[in-house]
Structure formats: structure tokens, C-alpha cells
Amino acid sequence: MYQTSRTLGVTWSDLIRDRLFVAGLVIKLILIFAFIPTIQTEWFVPFIVDAIENPSFSPWSSFISSDKDILAFPYGPIMLLAHLPTTFLGWVIDSATGANYFSGLGFRLSLLGADMLLLILLLQQFESRWRGLLIHYWLSPLVLLITYWHGQTDLIPIVLFMTSIILLKKNKLMLSGMILAASVAAKHSMLITMPFILIYSWFKRNNIKDVYRFVLYFLLVFLLFEGLFLFDYGFQQMVLSNREAEKVFWLAISMGDLLKVYILPLVYLLLVYLTWRLRRINFELLLATLGVAFSVLILLTPAPPGWFLWLTPILALHYSRGNGNAVLLGSLFSLAFVMYHSIYSTGAKIAFFDNLSLSMNIINLSDMPYIQSLLNTAIIGLVMVITLQVFRDGIKGSDYYHLGKKPLVIGISGADNSGKLNFVEALTGLFGKNKVLTISGENYFNWDKYSPMWQTITTSNPRASNIFLMISDLRKIISGEWIKRRGYNRDTGLFSTEKIHRGHQVIIVSGLHALHTKQLIEIHDVKFFLSNKDDNQKSVNNVDFEKYIQPQQKSADIIFEAQTKSNKNIDLTIRIRNGVYYQELFRVLIGICGLQMEVIELDEYGNVELIVQGDIQSGDIRLAANVITPNLSEFIDQESGFHGGTIGVMQLVALMEIDEVLKRRRAAA
Amino acid sequence: MLKIYQDKVILKPKAVIFDTDNTLYLYEVAHRAAMKSVMKKAENTLGISSQDFQEVFDLSRKEIKLQLGNTASSHSRLLYFQRAIEKLGMGTRIFLTLDLEQTYWREFLVNTRLFPGVKEFLQQLKSIGIKTANITDLTAQIQFRKIVYFGLDEYFDYVVTSEEAGCDKPNIEPFKMALNKLKTDPEDVWMIGDSPENDIYGAKSNFKMTTLQKIHKGVKVGSNQFAPDVSFDHYSELISLISDL
């Protein structure tokens, strides 16, 4: 079955019917109602209740002015706001009944809300791993222990962070920057994700202005949330001087009496650099990279249990791939983690049984410190191995990585008036202008339009163009160098001044001789030849056309022969060399898009000739592209990149061919 | 949970007939998402609020159903949209009607998911040589599109639409046509559907098929003449049932 991403509401309506979800929800509700985590009763809830009972501009200053624990709430205003509504409702019930239970219950319910929202976001993005995510995230012992037993609140910034990167994936820059600011304003440690998100944003859009815009929205909203608090004494003491920040400098190599090299910042910077060197990352690889970043933080500091929660969605995605080894290692990690924190961390009390604390010195192991160290070693070792797996699988599964090694080079040849320019524009729109470098064969004409030489030679003759220079330029660009080249103005027929051109993710080479010579053919990853059903006869009469242009069809992967006079009623013949995917194309175009299609010929080498007729809207092409080339969905402009009609069908076929090329690259890597 | 009623003896079938909407997938969720997109488009192109469009659409739908009775065309979104636009005083707007219909079905498909286990159950039936058919109340064009979208086109041996049969279930014709195509006695056939009135009653009253009702939120087990022989929540229960027979 084909699948494309659905809305959160539709995902939710399926989720509430799922038995695993209901089972997990019941377990979590029992934990919420029955157990009261110690850190919440001692720290978090008293702080929020104090903020409710003593409203002031700065709840932090108000709190410490009454000599209360400075460690009670080391979080920003968004964390406070996230917990405030439900805690307030609980506080109202407590006040009315004289109980001391419902404020805490309200606090815990907001965590359950964040937990569910995170699950829905993960399921929406990775619907094919539905069951795996329910098992490895929703029923994860780590989430149960850290959130519902130990009482940590990190799910709030994590769900905000996940929302932010999903919005970024959908190119909603402004909202993404704002939500990321909210995530950091909930917990400042989330700032460590910023460099990776900026790199992802840059690779995705290839537009520095978009990155600036993202940073601007982030800063504006962050300052809106925290600007005034930064000058507040209570906020400075409780949040900014938080003891967690000192852990960054915990591990160091001493270089003499005064000088040290801090290991965590060093490894972190190396990781940022390595991510930059990947050159292209898709959403899943971004998550894998962030998993490594979180792990580095955990491995190189005495991390509190809440930090492990950052890893849980990424680990759940990793386990849900169905790799038995990964699940085994994950189970061992969960076991070691649960054992360690059951013994050595604070736990919870049973509600309404004040004297019955389940804080966790179940067995007195204080005289056996080596057991604690051994368990810690097991946790660290397993996190290391799993993180390596996550990163390896993320890179392996990313088509972007294979695209990052070398740009995708598309060659488009064909007769005059065959629609090359329209096709180039359609492909450019599909990938986004910022990601595409177009090289037109006209730039390499030896003479401008007014040269008398055109009286003796036609444009179809390769001697009229400097093809050697074109090949040389292409080779330079592919290897990462820049070139300086003049352009050709179609309107005036004159050459423009030289401009610098640099490599992009996609290079489209179009022109009468784009598939002429072995060198050019070898350079192109995907090769198209276009001809026009209307003008065929005229072109055939041209001797140079027959000699130099028409033979290029033999080198093309795909030949489009279109009736371009009417863009609405499609009349397109497609010849695909080794068209392994033609059946899939056939099913989607007929079944989903409602077009008429016929297989004219299928030869013994798998070469296939198809005829497509009918009418189609751009929305149907987008749907078809998302169901048959889902790996490319991040690579293309979903909003305005797709066309309807003949050009739309050509876009779809081109995407299938490109998908095939990327798969071959991945297999060969 | 799978329940067998009135101590009915369940025998291994020679053929299984499936209903489509709400039996292979949940209709309502996809319909709501599709209507949302249509209303958004109507709001942009006609300048009419979503609520107003929904009201006119509902009214048009009722009228068309009343006018055409139990026929395939009575389910046609194209006709519903045409009538709705006409009711808004804009005459017949052919291109817009086509556009809204296309948008509806596109969004419908995007938001449609097979119930878990459907494919596995069909695979099991194929692997043990049990023939399969699909009877559905709508036009062939869109039901075929759905089956292709689900990737089930190679799983059903036969499909009967109400367009082909000339009327909807529970009329006798669609069932008769399916049995003729399957060339199987009705006693050897299972009918799986969600509707007690259309699927269960239709298959049981005239043909004595073994009837199985798919239960999910909003669907109640039929009673009296609408009572199924078996009710189930999940297709994995049918996989186990067939394996045990």
C-alpha cells in the first residue's frame, strides 16, 4: 500500500483505536494517579504553586526571596507555562478540598500530554513504523521510569524541539524558528541542537537568507520569552547559574597547572564539523546526528536521567527499523538503565500513603560502590554502541548522503522547439532554484546570433559549439571548483558578460548537444531526449539534425515525445531504457491519477514504450510523486514545484528515474 | 474480539466476499479530511465559508440520494458538488465541479489506511486457494482507484460495483453477480462487511452465506434478521480462525 503523510488529527483518530496505545495509556494513567515522584513534590510543584499563590513578574525571584530551594525549578518560562494550566486546575481543587494531591496530578498530566503529542508527531512522520514506535517509544521502560517514576520534565522541550524540526522539514521556517526558541526557553540545554538544525536548514534550502531568517525568528521569540528575565536576579540564580551548565567542563585533560583542554566542547565541535562535511542530510539523518550529539553529552558528563530522555525518540526510531541486534542492545541498555536508577536515583511515593516511599534503595548497595560503577559502565558502553549503530544506519538510509558525494547531473537533449526549456524550468522548480545550476548549450555557441558563420553551419552541427569547454566546465563544477562563463541572451541573440558559477546539488545540462560525445554521456547521471510530435517532420528534413541530434536518442535513458501545442490534454509517448519501474508508474498514473496509458512495446532488454493520454492536475502529480518516490519528498518543493498536464507527467517520470539512480548509487556505495 | 453467534458451525469457505468502505478501511476519517480540503478550496474560489458550503453540500447529497435511490450514481461526489454549486446560485460550473471532485478523492486517498491485517488475511486466503471478490456500492472508477491505491488489485479475483450490478446492496443483484463470477455455491461463501443492513442482511436473507461483521468504533453488532454469524474486531482474528478450520 502507498502511504503519504497524514495530518495529526487523522493520525490521532487511528491511534485511539490501537490496543498498544490504549494499554500504554492505562499504564501511564495508573502511574500518574498512584505515584508521586519525589523531585516533583520537593522541587517542581512547590515552585509552580508558589507562582500561582504569589503572582509576580518573576516567579523565580519571588520563590528565592522566601528562602526556598534554589534548585527547585532550573527551567525557563515556557516550561512554567506548559505546566501552569493543569497544575492551576489541580491547585484549585486542592484549595477547595484541602487536599495536597491534585496540583501534582495536574503537573503530571501535562507531562502525559507532551508524551502523547511526541508519539503522534513520531507516528505522523514515520507511519510505516507504527507498531515499532508504539512498542519502543510509547511503552519504553526509559520513558516510564524517567518521566512517570523519577519525575523529570524533559518531555516538554523535546516535543517542542521535535515540532520545530518537523516544521523545518516542511519548509515552515518562521514557525520552526519560533518553536525552537520556545524549546530553548523551556530548557536551555536544547541550545546544543542549534548548529545541527542550522546545517540541516542550509543544506535543505541552500539559501543563506533563509538561515538568517530562521535565526532571526529564533532570536526575536527567544528574547520575547526571556529578554527581561535575563536581568532578573532570581532567574539568573535559578536558571542561568544552573549547576547542570558546569558539567560541560567536567571532563578535561590537564596541560600544566592552569591550562586544560575541555573534552566535551572539543568532541561537540568535531561532531558539528563532521555534520557539515556530510554536505547533504535528510530528516532521518538529522535525527541520527542529533542522537550522536545527545549521546556525546551523556557520555562525557555525569548526566542526570532526564538527559537520557532526549535520546528516547531517536532510539525508538532506530529500534523500530526491525533490526534484531539493535532491539537486543536496546533491551540490555533499558535493563541496565532501569536497574541503575531503581537503585541509585530518587523515585516516587505511593499516593495517599505518605510514609510509604518507594525511593529506591531496595537493596542496600552503598557498601558496594563497584556495582554502581559496573552498571554505569554498562550503560555508557551500550549507549556508545547503539549511538554508532544509529549514526551508521542514518547515513546508510540517507539518499542525501549519496547525493552529497557528487551532485546529480541531468542531461537534456532534443530538437529545437521540443520543450527543453520548459522541462528545464519544471525540473528547476521541482528541486528549487537555489539547489540547481543550469548549464545551457547556447552559452557554448561559438558565435552570437548575428555572426555570418550561421550562413554556412547550422546550430545542430557540433562544430558550432565549444563542446570541449562545456565538458571541462562540467568536470570542474562536479569536482567542487567554480567556473567563470558567459551567458547567451535568447532575446537579443548576444552573449552576456561572464559570471561565476558554482556547484549545486543538481546540475542540469540542456542543449542540442547535451548527449553528444562519450564524455558528456558519462558525466550525466540521468539522460533525457525530447522531441515534439508536431515538429517532427520539419526536423527530419534537416541533415545536421539527422546526423548529430537524432542519434543522441540512443544514449538517453528516457525519451519524451510530446504534443506540446495543448498543455492540457496530454498526448505523450515515453520510451524508458531498462524501465524497471514502468509497472509502478503504470499503476499510479492509471489507478491514482486516472490517466489513460498503454504499453506499446516491451522488449527483451526491459526497454519499454508507453503512451499517456488524458488530463491531470498538479496536485495529483504531487500525490503520485509522494507515493512512488517517498525518498525524494524532502528533496523537492512540495508547495509550488509540481505542474499539471504533460510537463507534470514528465516531472513524475524524471523523479522515478532519479530515484532509481540514487538507489543504484546507494547500492554501489 | 471474535465472537461466533448461535453456535453456528463455521466451515472453511471456498470463496470470501468483502465489502470495501468501513470494512477494508475506515471511511469517516478519510471523508472528513477530504471534505476539509474541498471546503478550503471552495472558500478560496467561491468566497463561501466552510460551514455554509458544508450545509449546501449535505443538502445536495440528500437530494441526489433521494432522486437516484439505491444506485451507484447516488454516491457520486461529482453530482453532489455540481448540485451544491448550483444551489449557491452559480449555475453549472463544470471545471470547478471536476476540480472539487478531484481534490476530494485525492485527499481521501492520502488519508486512507487499510485496517491492520487486511493484506495478510487476503494473502492467507490466496495461499490456500480460497477465491476472493469485492462487492462495493459506488462507481467502478473510484472503487478501482481505491483498490489500486491500497495495492490490493492483485488480491481480488473479482470486483462487483453497484454501477455494474445496477443497484446497491442489500439488493440481490450485486451478490448474485459476485456468486456467478466466483462460480461457488452461496453456502460455501463468507461475506465480510460492516453494515448489518446492507452486507449482513443482504448476504444472509437471500443466499444463506456465512456472514462476518467487522466491528470498530461506531459500528454495532446487528441483531435479529441483521445479526451476523461472526463478529470480529481485527483481521488477525480471522487469520487464526481460518488456520484452525
Side-chain angles (χ1 to χ4, degrees):
Chain A
M1 184 184 160
Y2 305 115
Q3 284 194 348
T4 55
S5 191
R6 301 187 294 174
T7 61
L8 288 179
V10 176
T11 306
W12 167 247
S13 64
D14 267 3
L15 190 59
I16 50 173
R17 292 183 183 86
D18 195 294
R19 291 172 187 179
L20 275 178
F21 171 73
V22 174
L25 187 61
V26 170
I27 293 170
K28 289 178 181 187
L29 282 171
I30 291 171
L31 288 173
I32 279 176
F33 280 95
F35 297 107
I36 304 173
T38 307
I39 56 165
Q40 289 180 8
T41 49
E42 289 183 1
W43 285 354
F44 306 151
V45 178
F47 177 86
I48 297 178
V49 168
D50 187 79
I52 295 168
E53 290 176 347
N54 305 297
S56 72
F57 166 71
S58 168
W60 294 270
S61 283
S62 165
F63 191 76
I64 58 170
S65 66
S66 50
D67 282 340
K68 287 176 183 159
D69 195 338
I70 201 169
L71 300 174
F73 201 77
Y75 306 114
I78 293 299
M79 188 75 95
L80 177 63
L81 285 175
H83 287 297
L84 200 59
T86 48
T87 311
F88 176 75
L89 283 176
W91 175 80
V92 170
I93 299 171
D94 276 343
S95 303
T97 59
N100 183 22
Y101 170 75
F102 293 98
S103 308
L105 181 67
F107 185 92
R108 296 193 291 281
L109 280 172
S110 53
L111 285 178
L112 178 65
D115 195 6
M116 287 200 288
L117 185 54
L118 184 53
L119 174 71
I120 299 170
L121 287 170
L122 289 171
L123 290 174
Q124 187 207 28
Q125 295 303 309
F126 301 95
E127 198 182 329
S128 60
R129 302 186 205 171
W130 184 281
R131 193 174 166 76
L133 283 171
L134 279 169
I135 293 170
H136 298 295
Y137 174 74
W138 185 239
L139 299 176
S140 159
L142 263 70
V143 177
L144 291 172
L145 185 97
I146 298 169
T147 303
Y148 299 97
W149 182 263
H150 191 256
Q152 292 289 347
T153 65
D154 294 61
L155 278 177
I156 303 283
I158 294 170
V159 77
L160 287 168
F161 162 72
M162 194 60 82
T163 309
S164 165
I165 56 174
I166 288 170
L167 287 167
L168 191 59
K169 181 187 168 196
K170 293 178 179 171
N171 287 323
K172 294 184 176 165
L173 274 184
M174 190 172 86
L175 211 51
S176 171
M178 288 159 71
I179 304 279
L180 185 66
S183 173
V184 175
K187 183 158 180 164
H188 288 169
S189 324
M190 296 312 288
L191 204 56
I192 68 160
T193 61
M194 190 67 164
F196 302 98
I197 292 177
L198 291 182
I199 291 171
Y200 172 68
S201 169
W202 165 245
F203 287 163
K204 188 170 168 56
R205 311 267 297 187
N206 217 8
N207 185 348
I208 195 69
K209 281 183 188 165
D210 283 345
V211 179
Y212 290 150
R213 213 172 294 147
F214 178 85
V215 174
L216 182 69
Y217 294 132
F218 171 85
L219 285 175
L220 284 176
V221 175
F222 184 72
L223 286 174
L224 181 76
F225 288 138
E226 289 207 353
L228 291 174
F229 290 124
L230 295 175
F231 304 101
D232 175 67
Y233 177 73
F235 191 79
Q236 287 172 356
Q237 290 299 305
M238 289 184 73
V239 184
L240 299 179
S241 306
N242 170 9
R243 64 179 178 176
E244 304 290 327
E246 293 166 12
K247 289 179 177 171
V248 172
F249 309 108
W250 177 76
L251 192 64
I253 299 171
S254 186
M255 301 186 76
D257 292 339
L258 295 173
L259 210 56
K260 284 179 180 174
V261 174
Y262 295 115
I263 302 298
L264 178 60
L266 192 69
V267 175
Y268 177 78
L269 285 175
L270 271 174
L271 184 63
V272 171
Y273 174 73
L274 282 175
T275 309
W276 175 254
R277 289 300 302 158
L278 286 175
R279 295 174 67 186
R280 309 281 175 264
I281 48 177
N282 66 359
F283 186 66
E284 205 162 348
L285 187 52
L286 169 70
L287 287 176
T289 312
L290 287 166
V292 178
F294 292 152
S295 302
V296 163
L297 202 66
I298 288 167
L299 294 172
L300 300 179
T301 59
W307 291 12
F308 283 85
L309 208 54
W310 304 356
L311 268 179
T312 50
I314 296 161
L315 293 184
L317 283 170
H318 177 58
Y319 304 148
S320 62
R321 283 174 188 267
N323 180 335
N325 284 339
V327 174
L328 180 67
L329 283 173
S331 306
L332 287 173
F333 168 56
S334 295
L335 185 69
F337 187 87
V338 170
M339 279 174 68
Y340 182 94
H341 288 283
S342 297
I343 298 168
Y344 300 107
S345 296
T346 59
K349 286 180 178 175
I350 296 182
F352 310 115
F353 291 89
D354 285 350
N355 296 326
L356 188 54
S357 169
L358 295 181
S359 171
M360 299 299 116
N361 290 315
I362 298 168
I363 315 163
N364 187 6
L365 295 169
S366 55
D367 54 345
M368 290 185 281
Y370 62 90
I371 290 197
Q372 181 172 9
S373 297
L374 270 177
L375 275 173
N376 191 45
T377 307
I379 291 172
I380 298 293
L382 285 163
V383 168
M384 278 175 75
V385 176
I386 294 169
T387 305
L388 283 174
Q389 272 189 345
V390 168
F391 196 58
R392 185 199 62 196
D393 288 356
I395 285 187
K396 233 198 232 172
S398 170
D399 279 322
Y400 269 61
Y401 180 71
H402 304 286
L403 200 54
K405 285 181 173 174
K406 176 181 172 284
L408 183 78
V409 188
I410 299 171
I412 302 170
S413 180
D416 282 327
N417 301 319
S418 59
K420 292 191 294 294
L421 192 61
N422 285 344
F423 189 45
V424 170
E425 282 173 0
L427 290 181
T428 306
L430 203 55
F431 297 119
K433 270 185 191 169
N434 294 320
K435 292 183 199 157
V436 178
L437 171 68
T438 54
I439 295 180
S440 168
E442 290 167 342
N443 298 352
Y444 295 88
F445 278 157
N446 286 327
W447 316 286
D448 66 31
K449 186 180 167 185
Y450 305 101
S451 168
M453 288 303 290
W454 294 118
Q455 291 166 15
T456 60
I457 195 166
T458 69
T459 52
S460 298
N461 193 317
R463 282 182 294 156
S465 298
N466 192 340
I467 292 172
F468 179 78
L469 187 61
M470 188 190 213
I471 294 169
S472 164
D473 281 353
L474 264 171
R475 284 177 173 155
K476 279 183 185 170
I477 287 173
I478 290 166
S479 65
E481 295 175 49
W482 56 267
I483 57 160
K484 210 170 177 187
R485 188 64 48 225
R486 67 187 180 180
Y488 180 80
N489 187 325
R490 280 192 147 209
D491 296 330
T492 62
L494 298 170
F495 291 110
S496 62
T497 51
E498 288 188 327
K499 280 184 185 167
I500 289 175
H501 301 281
R502 293 174 199 281
H504 286 60
Q505 289 183 18
V506 180
I507 299 169
I508 302 178
V509 184
S510 68
L512 292 164
H513 304 106
L515 304 182
H516 179 72
T517 77
K518 191 182 170 194
Q519 288 88 336
L520 270 175
I521 293 164
E522 282 175 357
I523 285 171
H524 300 315
D525 294 299
V526 192
K527 300 172 278 289
F528 297 99
F529 187 90
L530 273 57
S531 65
N532 189 338
K533 288 185 179 178
D534 307 324
D535 296 337
N536 229 7
Q537 200 54 45
K538 193 177 79 185
S539 298
V540 165
N541 293 333
N542 184 324
V543 175
D544 281 343
F545 173 83
E546 279 183 4
K547 190 172 177 185
Y548 299 112
I549 309 299
Q550 221 167 26
Q552 293 179 49
Q553 293 191 49
K554 289 176 191 161
S555 309
D557 299 310
I558 291 171
I559 300 166
F560 290 119
E561 195 179 326
Q563 157 75 266
T564 52
K565 272 183 182 167
S566 162
N567 197 34
K568 267 202 160 176
N569 295 314
I570 302 165
D571 181 5
L572 178 68
T573 303
I574 309 168
R575 293 186 197 94
I576 310 173
R577 184 200 294 256
N578 299 319
V580 64
Y581 51 79
Y582 87 92
Q583 284 179 327
E584 203 57 13
L585 181 70
F586 205 72
R587 287 161 52 84
V588 167
L589 284 181
I590 293 176
I592 297 176
C593 303
L595 287 170
Q596 294 94 54
M597 233 177 141
E598 199 180 334
V599 178
I600 302 296
E601 194 186 352
L602 173 65
D603 72 12
E604 67 272 32
Y605 304 108
N607 301 323
V608 63
E609 182 175 345
L610 310 162
I611 282 190
V612 185
Q613 288 173 322
D615 186 21
I616 191 165
Q617 295 180 349
S618 57
D620 292 316
I621 294 289
R622 184 175 61 230
L623 170 64
N626 283 328
V627 297
I628 54 179
T629 57
N631 291 333
L632 292 176
S633 61
E634 271 193 69
F635 194 37
I636 47 194
D637 180 356
Q638 297 282 344
E639 295 292 319
S640 55
F642 288 100
H643 289 248
T646 304
I647 284 285
V649 176
M650 288 164 72
Q651 283 181 315
L652 188 65
V653 176
L655 283 177
M656 288 199 86
E657 185 65 27
I658 289 165
D659 193 47
E660 187 59 30
V661 167
L662 292 181
K663 281 177 186 160
R664 284 205 297 266
R665 268 196 199 180
R666 186 165 55 177
Chain B
M1 190 200 287
L2 185 124
K3 284 184 189 164
I4 300 174
Y5 298 95
Q6 295 159 353
D7 298 327
K8 166 93 178 175
V9 178
I10 306 292
L11 299 173
K12 190 177 270 190
K14 289 184 179 163
V16 178
I17 301 176
F18 294 80
D19 168 49
T20 306
D21 302 331
N22 272 332
T23 298
L24 299 178
Y25 72 95
L26 201 61
Y27 169 83
E28 199 52 41
V29 172
H31 169 70
R32 271 204 305 271
M35 277 308 292
K36 203 172 159 186
S37 291
V38 167
M39 288 189 290
K40 197 174 164 190
K41 186 161 249 181
E43 203 169 328
N44 291 339
T45 49
L46 302 172
I48 180 170
S49 76
S50 296
Q51 200 186 346
D52 290 346
F53 187 82
Q54 180 77 59
E55 279 172 20
V56 177
F57 176 83
D58 290 341
L59 197 63
S60 307
R61 183 179 175 145
K62 266 186 201 160
E63 277 185 18
I64 298 280
K65 276 188 178 289
L66 198 68
Q67 187 182 329
L68 299 178
N70 280 339
T71 60
S73 318
S74 72
H75 306 284
S76 166
R77 272 51 175 181
L78 198 67
L79 297 182
Y80 300 163
F81 291 131
Q82 182 195 346
R83 181 68 58 88
I85 294 167
E86 286 167 357
K87 276 189 171 299
L88 289 167
M90 294 172 190
T92 305
R93 300 265 69 90
I94 294 172
F95 181 76
L96 181 60
T97 307
L98 284 168
D99 191 13
L100 292 183
E101 195 228 11
Q102 193 71 3
T103 303
Y104 177 89
W105 286 120
R106 185 165 60 234
E107 291 303 317
F108 188 96
L109 290 177
V110 167
N111 289 288
T112 306
R113 297 289 182 272
L114 277 181
F115 284 127
V118 168
K119 213 167 203 171
E120 291 76 6
F121 180 55
L122 281 162
Q123 267 165 351
Q124 184 194 31
L125 297 178
K126 296 299 264 180
S127 69
I128 53 177
I130 296 174
K131 287 184 279 187
T132 53
N134 180 273
I135 303 183
T136 180
D137 289 343
L138 230 164
T139 52
Q141 166 80 9
I142 185 56
Q143 294 307 69
F144 285 8
R145 278 179 71 181
K146 282 183 199 168
I147 291 170
V148 170
Y149 184 79
F150 287 137
L152 297 180
D153 43 328
E154 295 304 324
Y155 287 90
F156 289 117
D157 296 309
Y158 301 101
V159 176
V160 174
T161 60
S162 51
E163 188 174 30
E164 184 188 10
C167 54
D168 288 345
K169 291 172 287 183
N171 284 305
I172 197 167
E173 289 307 323
F175 295 103
K176 209 167 151 186
M177 194 168 271
L179 288 169
N180 283 339
K181 288 184 181 186
L182 287 165
K183 294 188 177 60
T184 310
D185 293 333
E187 293 79 12
D188 295 325
V189 175
W190 285 8
M191 172 70 209
I192 301 178
D194 69 302
S195 165
E197 295 81 16
N198 298 337
D199 303 318
I200 307 301
Y201 176 73
K204 209 173 170 184
S205 61
N206 296 308
F207 298 99
K208 309 282 182 264
M209 293 184 208
T210 300
T211 52
L212 296 90
Q213 190 184 357
K214 167 78 178 81
I215 304 297
H216 44 263
K217 197 183 169 192
V219 177
K220 286 185 180 161
V221 180
S223 55
N224 302 324
Q225 75 266 38
F226 304 115
D229 298 316
V230 178
S231 68
F232 69 99
D233 296 329
H234 199 281
Y235 278 89
S236 60
E237 294 159 1
L238 296 189
I239 293 174
S240 305
L241 179 65
I242 288 264
S243 303
D244 294 342
L245 294 176

